[in-house]
């Protein structure tokens, strides 16, 4: 290898062809593809007058191409695949296409070399590229002539990828079967970038011993081990990962790199901050990667993240994507931003929150070819340079919610971009199956969103934040969700108490919130529907309407105006003893619930339901309190924001976190 001090360049591996170790057929479309894309110009072109969502939504769930699926038995090894005689396999897939526009925009790489090794004669290797609007072009091709292994090499520039686009290759077998044994994307890089960095993994776990132990086992691969410095597991539960039957093999596989640290339940931010602190204090790894304990990992994605970080133009946070653990070809989001005026996290409007690669492949989904620039990456898989942790501090002490997004905004303000990098991903329980705005998490959603906005919003009084927050409170109140509004009010009161109280609440606030919620019927969940009285109603629905009817915009506006007034009326007598209706979770919208005086409402996870009952006096008291609080924020926003911004360096410093951890780790294993 070239001496880094001598200048010049060296060749470095950026990405290699990989195939799944999982036999789940849902996984295969992320690695291999036989389908020919349907590129209907009228439906699928992006970048014009219609957004990607509108252009693709009509047929997102339909197969848009013809052909057969790749069989699992064609996968011969981690890197080799069989292509039967006369057939074609495309590597234009999530894990095997090369995300050229990301390398073009964020790295020092200007050109790449693709080498494809094929065993068997008569095979054609075709190299393709796409542009930001998804249009595709053939770039080059080659044919194998020998029966033994033949390596074809293609030199490819990254110049045309300023806005988006991918490279990929297809292999077509001739008169006999061929095997694609391997493929590598390499690049000439400055000699001082020749050696790869190392990463500390920070995994926060609580009462998921088997899941966490299996994840640790996935990390102990020979290819990944040289990139791992230390794997920190922050054990915050009572069911310990060490007690899992899968732990001994996982520990052996990590070959001395594993450290399990026990501490009290300080939430995700407390767990990740502990991992960040240990990484900074140890000072030997280039990066620290946050990772959830309930994921299935593609180890190659960690290698790719480290490689991309090594070759980035400047220190860069590199995150991965999240696929569904239950439907493994479904991508949750291609990128996340904080909408600045609303100050709310979301996917960009020209993207999707849920995309099924099993129904629409990468090549036919033109919106996926535009590079997606982001504000942050979720800490289910997110790699932060250690130098950045040292420069801008550790996580905010928020317990859960907004710690990852706030950190992305803080890093961006310091000149550190975040890149959600294609080809780095985990499979995780989808957040779309939850409604955590109604349970104990409502407190953390509200408090932490306000804290992040006070620190980073550039709009007067947080833009639309206060208006939206008050509107949400009213929607919860007309829906008889009094416990949720009480928690949201407590959250705002805690924000007003100041930033230096956040550390003190970290280990106690959850228990206090849960104890407080128990007094409200809308927070008392029952798994058995027979626990509730039977449904009885004084009058039948007006004009026979039922809950599946979807009101128009005008009807919703009228309901929004009248529902708060209706809450001042005396509830119907019969509703005090019997619920008036049963409402399924999917139908439990404020504009439906608001017309009832009592209802049994099921929860999003499908396991339980709660009784909602209208309480006129409680409604009036909560309206008064939320009005007073929101008015105070409108009046004092600038002063409160200045207080939080002045305290940011202190409350995220390693020294402050060290003091926070002390009482929660005393006498426990480290």
């Amino acid at each position: 290898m070239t001496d880094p001090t001598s200048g010049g360049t060296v060749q470095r591996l950026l990405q290699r062809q990989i195939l799944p170790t999982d036999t789940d057929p849902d996984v295969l479309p992320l690695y291999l593809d036989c389908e020919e894309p349907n590129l209907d110009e009228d439906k699928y072109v992006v970048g014009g007058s219609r957004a990607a969502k509108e252009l693709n939504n009509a047929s997102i769930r339909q197969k848009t191409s013809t052909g057969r699926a790749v069989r699992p038995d064609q996968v011969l090894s981690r890197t080799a695949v069989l292509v039967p005689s006369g057939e074609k396999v495309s590597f234009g897939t999530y894990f095997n296409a090369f995300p050229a526009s990301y390398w073009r925009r964020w790295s020092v790489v200007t050109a790449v070399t693709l080498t494809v090794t094929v065993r068997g004669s008569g095979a054609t290797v075709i190299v393709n590229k796409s542009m930001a609007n998804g249009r595709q072009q053939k770039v080059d091709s080659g044919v194998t002539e020998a029966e033994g292994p033949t390596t074809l090499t293609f030199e490819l520039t990254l110049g045309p990828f300023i806005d988006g686009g991918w490279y990929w290759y297809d292999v077509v077998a001739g008169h006999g079967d061929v095997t694609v044994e391997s493929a590598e994307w390499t690049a000439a890089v400055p000699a001082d970038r020749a050696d790869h960095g190392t990463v500390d993994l920070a995994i926060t776990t609580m009462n998921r011993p088997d899941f966490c132990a299996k994840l640790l086992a996935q990390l102990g691969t020979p290819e990944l081990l040289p990139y791992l410095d230390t794997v920190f597991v922050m054990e915050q539960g009572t069911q310990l990962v060490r007690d899992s039957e899968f732990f001994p093999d996982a520990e052996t596989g990590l070959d001395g790199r594993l450290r399990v640290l026990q501490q009290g339940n300080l939430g995700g931010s407390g767990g990740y901050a502990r991992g960040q602190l240990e990484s900074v204090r140890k000072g030997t790894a280039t990066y620290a990667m946050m990772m959830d304990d309930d994921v299935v990992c593609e180890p190659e994605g960690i290698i790719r993240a480290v490689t991309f970080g090594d070759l980035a133009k400047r220190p860069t946070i590199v995150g991965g994507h999240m696929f569904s653990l239950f439907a493994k070809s479904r991508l949750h989001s291609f990128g996340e931003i904080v909408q600045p005026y609303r100050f709310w996290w979301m996917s960009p409007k020209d993207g999707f929150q849920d995309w099924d690669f099993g129904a629409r492949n990468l090549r036919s989904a033109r919106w996926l070819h535009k590079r997606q620039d982001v504000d942050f990456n979720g800490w289910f898989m997110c790699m932060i340079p250690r130098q950045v942790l040292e420069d801008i501090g550790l996580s905010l002490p928020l317990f859960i919610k907004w710690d990852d997004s706030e950190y992305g905004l803080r890093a961006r303000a310091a000149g550190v971009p975040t890149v959600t990098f294609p080809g780095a991903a985990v499979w995780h329980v989808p957040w779309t199956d939850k409604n955590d705005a109604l349970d104990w998490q409502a407190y953390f959603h509200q408090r932490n969103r306000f804290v992040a906005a006070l620190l980073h919003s550039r709009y007067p009084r947080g833009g639309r934040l206060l208006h939206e927050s008050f509107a949400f409170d009213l929607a919860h109140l007309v829906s008889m969700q009094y416990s949720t509004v009480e928690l949201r009010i407590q959250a705002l009161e805690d924000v007003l108490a100041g930033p230096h109280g956040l550390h003190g609440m970290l280990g106690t606030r959850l228990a206090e919130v849960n104890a407080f919620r128990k007094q409200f019927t809308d927070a008392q969940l029952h798994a058995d529907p027979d626990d509730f009285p039977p449904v009885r109603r004084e009058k039948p629905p007006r004009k026979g309407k039922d809950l599946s009817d979807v009101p128009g915009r005008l009807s919703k506006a009228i309901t929004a105006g009248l529902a708060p007034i209706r809450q001042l009326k005396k509830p119907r007598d019969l509703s005090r003893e019997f619920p008036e209706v049963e409402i399924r979770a999917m139908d439990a919208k404020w504009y439906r619930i608001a017309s009832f005086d009592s209802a049994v409402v099921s929860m999003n996870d499908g396991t339980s339901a709660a009784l909602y009952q209208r309480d006129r006096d409680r409604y009036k008291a909560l309206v008064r309190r939320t009005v007073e609080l929101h008015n105070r924020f409108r009046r004092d926003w600038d002063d409160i924001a200045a207080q939080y911004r002045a305290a940011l360096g202190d409350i995220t410093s390693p020294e402050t976190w060290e003091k926070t951890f002390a009482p929660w780790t005393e006498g426990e294993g480290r």
Side-chain angles (χ1 to χ4, degrees):
M1 182 172 290
T2 302
D3 181 357
T5 63
S6 66
T9 61
V10 296
Q11 206 70 14
R12 182 156 174 185
L13 176 64
L14 308 183
Q15 177 177 312
R16 65 173 183 147
Q17 173 180 302
I18 57 170
L19 298 167
T21 57
D22 191 339
T23 58
D24 186 339
D26 278 355
V27 171
L28 271 175
L30 302 179
Y31 296 84
L32 297 168
D33 193 4
C34 284
E35 303 285 354
E36 289 301 318
N38 179 342
L39 300 180
D40 186 313
E41 295 292 332
D42 294 330
K43 285 187 177 180
Y44 307 121
V45 174
V46 299
S49 59
R50 291 182 292 169
K53 187 171 294 188
E54 178 186 353
L55 293 164
N56 289 281
N57 194 44
S59 57
I60 184 172
R61 299 292 170 243
Q62 300 174 7
K63 284 282 185 181
T64 59
S65 49
T66 58
R68 65 167 189 82
V70 178
R71 300 189 314 269
D73 62 0
Q74 289 178 240
V75 177
L76 305 179
S77 71
R78 181 63 161 153
T79 61
V81 61
L82 175 72
V83 183
S85 173
E87 295 189 3
K88 173 182 176 181
V89 168
S90 176
F91 294 83
T93 57
Y94 176 82
F95 280 117
N96 281 316
F98 184 77
S101 64
Y102 292 82
W103 285 98
R104 166 72 163 82
R105 172 65 180 89
W106 301 110
S107 82
V108 299
V109 176
T110 59
V112 295
T113 300
L114 169 64
T115 56
V116 183
T117 300
V118 181
R119 179 181 293 274
S121 63
T124 302
V125 178
I126 305 168
V127 181
N128 305 280
K129 75 173 183 180
S130 64
M131 295 178 285
N133 62 6
R135 299 181 191 276
Q136 301 174 15
Q137 298 175 355
K138 177 181 174 181
V139 176
D140 204 349
S141 65
V143 179
T144 64
E145 297 180 356
E147 286 297 328
T150 301
T151 298
L152 301 175
T153 302
F154 306 91
E155 301 296 333
L156 306 167
T157 178
L158 296 185
F161 297 96
I162 193 167
D163 291 328
W166 302 65
Y167 276 125
W168 69 91
Y169 51 98
D170 302 332
V171 179
V172 184
H175 294 297
D177 296 351
V178 299
T179 298
V180 186
E181 294 190 337
S182 65
E184 292 183 344
W185 304 84
T186 59
V189 303
D192 61 355
R193 309 266 188 138
D195 297 325
H196 66 74
T198 58
V199 61
D200 289 330
L201 258 64
I203 301 171
T204 302
T205 188
M206 181 177 175
N207 297 337
R208 293 192 181 104
D210 288 348
F211 218 131
C212 185
K214 289 178 181 178
L215 170 61
L216 296 176
Q218 294 159 27
L219 301 173
T221 67
E223 295 81 11
L224 178 56
L225 281 178
Y227 292 81
L228 296 181
D229 190 307
T230 305
V231 178
F232 294 106
V233 175
M234 274 57 69
E235 178 66 83
Q236 299 191 144
T238 56
Q239 301 172 38
L240 304 182
V241 65
R242 286 189 179 278
D243 295 335
S244 169
E245 62 179 300
F246 306 104
F247 182 80
D249 288 343
E251 186 176 36
T252 300
L254 286 170
D255 193 25
R257 293 170 174 82
L258 179 62
R259 287 185 62 194
V260 179
L261 310 175
Q262 288 184 251
Q263 62 183 32
N265 181 16
L266 303 179
S269 65
Y272 290 131
R274 177 74 183 279
Q276 294 165 4
L277 175 65
E278 297 291 342
S279 182
V280 167
R281 187 161 50 189
K282 179 168 58 69
T284 56
T286 321
Y287 311 98
M289 177 177 282
M290 314 305 112
M291 184 172 285
D292 278 351
D293 64 336
D294 56 345
V295 303
V296 172
C297 176
E298 168 52 86
E300 194 77 14
I302 300 175
I303 297 174
R304 293 179 181 183
V306 170
T307 303
F308 189 78
D310 289 345
L311 299 176
K313 295 176 183 177
R314 60 185 63 88
T316 299
I317 296 173
V318 184
H321 288 104
M322 180 195 294
F323 285 87
S324 171
L325 190 62
F326 304 133
K328 291 187 175 180
S329 62
R330 298 177 81 109
L331 174 69
H332 266 301
S333 175
F334 204 52
E336 295 291 330
I337 63 171
V338 175
Q339 206 288 333
Y341 188 59
R342 289 185 61 207
F343 211 85
W344 186 247
W345 54 43
M346 60 182 290
S347 297
K349 290 184 178 179
D350 58 355
F352 282 86
Q353 290 187 347
D354 183 7
W355 187 264
D356 188 355
F357 281 104
R360 289 283 305 280
N361 59 29
L362 172 67
R363 292 170 294 148
S364 71
R366 295 194 170 195
W367 71 275
L368 285 166
H369 295 255
K370 175 183 176 183
R371 190 188 68 249
Q372 196 69 266
D373 296 334
V374 303
D375 291 331
F376 72 97
N377 200 97
W379 282 358
F380 50 83
M381 181 184 182
C382 185
M383 187 183 78
I384 304 171
R386 177 171 54 82
Q387 184 62 53
V388 173
L389 292 169
E390 293 173 350
D391 290 345
I392 72 171
L394 313 183
S395 170
L396 272 177
L398 299 179
F399 194 82
I400 59 168
K401 310 298 181 187
W402 284 91
D403 46 355
D404 46 14
S405 45
E406 185 281 328
Y407 202 91
L409 296 177
R410 196 193 326 165
R412 185 182 66 183
V416 178
T418 297
V419 176
T420 298
F421 189 59
V426 295
W427 288 267
H428 190 277
V429 176
W431 57 61
T432 51
D433 293 345
K434 306 174 183 178
N435 186 3
D436 55 16
L438 295 182
D439 61 12
W440 57 270
Q441 297 174 84
Y443 168 87
F444 295 100
H445 272 296
Q446 177 78 330
R447 187 195 67 176
N448 300 348
R449 181 187 182 191
F450 267 71
V451 169
L454 286 163
L455 288 168
H456 300 293
S457 177
R458 292 173 290 170
Y459 286 93
R461 295 179 297 279
R464 188 177 168 79
L465 172 64
L466 292 173
H467 172 84
E468 196 167 273
S469 172
F470 181 68
F472 285 169
D473 279 355
L474 279 185
H476 288 304
L477 285 171
V478 301
S479 302
M480 303 175 284
Q481 294 160 348
Y482 303 119
S483 68
T484 298
V485 179
E486 285 276 11
L487 295 185
R488 287 168 58 85
I489 286 174
Q490 285 189 14
L492 295 188
E493 291 172 343
D494 285 346
V495 173
L496 291 173
H500 291 284
L502 292 173
H503 277 278
M505 291 188 286
L506 197 60
T508 60
R509 205 67 178 108
L510 174 60
E512 293 165 355
V513 163
N514 276 326
F516 179 76
R517 288 181 69 238
K518 290 180 180 179
Q519 65 181 287
F520 298 92
T521 59
D522 63 278
Q524 296 169 11
L525 305 182
H526 297 267
D528 188 348
D530 290 334
D531 288 348
F532 302 105
V535 171
R536 292 187 186 177
R537 191 173 179 183
E538 292 179 3
K539 294 181 180 180
R542 184 172 177 267
K543 296 183 179 180
K545 292 184 177 181
D546 74 23
L547 293 171
S548 62
D549 292 333
V550 179
R553 183 175 298 178
L554 177 60
S555 178
K556 287 183 185 177
I558 293 172
T559 301
L562 296 179
I565 300 173
R566 180 185 175 276
Q567 305 302 308
L568 301 175
K569 295 172 57 179
K570 182 177 179 295
R572 291 179 282 264
D573 291 338
L574 195 60
S575 70
R576 303 302 85 190
E577 187 176 354
F578 301 99
E580 295 182 325
V581 66
E582 291 182 356
I583 303 178
R584 294 168 294 190
M586 67 184 73
D587 297 323
K589 311 298 184 185
W590 67 267
Y591 48 81
R592 293 192 177 106
I593 301 175
S595 62
F596 300 102
D597 288 343
S598 62
V600 173
V601 182
S602 58
M603 300 295 105
N604 271 56
D605 63 4
T607 63
S608 58
L611 175 64
Y612 292 3
Q613 282 195 313
R614 186 157 71 84
D615 185 328
R616 180 172 54 175
D617 293 337
R618 190 182 292 274
Y619 169 82
K620 290 190 290 186
L622 289 173
V623 167
R624 183 167 55 252
R625 289 172 62 195
T626 191
V627 167
E628 291 171 352
L629 277 170
H630 284 85
N631 283 341
R632 181 173 174 187
F633 272 98
R634 287 187 179 91
R635 183 181 68 246
D636 299 336
W637 180 272
D638 290 344
D639 291 339
I640 303 168
Q643 183 184 9
Y644 273 85
R645 292 171 186 178
L648 180 60
D650 178 44
I651 62 177
T652 61
S653 70
E655 294 77 18
T656 301
W657 270 109
E658 192 86 64
K659 295 175 184 176
T660 299
F661 290 130
W664 298 98
T665 58
E666 186 175 357
E668 297 186 6
R670 289 189 51 181

